[in-house]
Amino acid sequence: MEKSIFKHAAYDLSGYELNDLQRIVKKECPVIRTLPSLDKLSVAHSFKVEGNEIVSSNFRYQIPGRKRHLFKNHRALGDAARIFLLCCEYFHDTREFTEKTIDHMKKCGDIR
């Protein structure tokens, strides 16, 4: 979906390597039956907006207080923030990320 938005905006993506985090996680965790949703990944890695910060298991980033209302799930900045922090978590410690993801997905019944 994001690629089509960039295309519609006539933004050239040819100089960038684009990856789909959900597909990366599915490949890393083949026991998961379907692509993990952004919502489930966010819960597994403790994403939340806390005060004037976006927070995950290992990271905290300040956001301007007057912009806090824009950082909700299923809104552009909120979802971008979730993807950003999930990528940070993944590259910080892929093994821990994988373990937390699988543990949460087991609870959701998404493990083969």
Side-chain angles (χ1 to χ4, degrees):
M1 186 168 63
E2 288 83 0
K3 283 190 214 178
S4 66
I5 292 168
F6 281 115
K7 185 177 180 178
H8 181 73
Y11 190 85
D12 181 17
L13 294 173
S14 63
Y16 298 92
E17 180 181 337
L18 302 176
N19 296 293
D20 183 329
L21 179 64
Q22 290 163 289
R23 292 187 194 289
I24 291 169
V25 172
K26 174 74 173 92
K27 188 175 180 181
E28 192 74 34
C29 308
V31 295
I32 299 173
R33 287 187 295 197
T34 60
L35 285 179
S37 69
L38 184 56
D39 289 339
K40 287 180 181 177
L41 289 173
S42 296
V43 170
H45 300 281
S46 306
F47 176 87
K48 59 188 166 221
V49 176
E50 190 174 80
N52 290 336
E53 295 180 313
I54 52 172
V55 179
S56 64
S57 298
N58 296 296
F59 298 94
R60 303 179 90 76
Y61 288 92
Q62 290 267 292
I63 54 176
R66 65 187 184 282
K67 302 289 184 189
R68 184 182 192 278
H69 69 284
L70 298 173
F71 284 81
K72 293 182 179 168
N73 296 346
H74 309 292
R75 296 191 69 175
L77 282 177
D79 284 350
R82 294 195 295 167
I83 293 166
F84 169 71
L85 285 181
L86 288 168
C87 286
C88 289
E89 292 289 344
Y90 178 82
F91 288 109
H92 172 70
D93 188 337
T94 303
R95 183 171 172 231
E96 178 185 19
F97 183 94
T98 301
E99 289 171 359
K100 283 184 175 185
T101 298
I102 290 172
D103 286 347
H104 182 68
M105 298 301 277
K106 279 180 185 173
K107 292 175 191 170
C108 295
D110 292 320
I111 299 293
R112 293 182 184 152

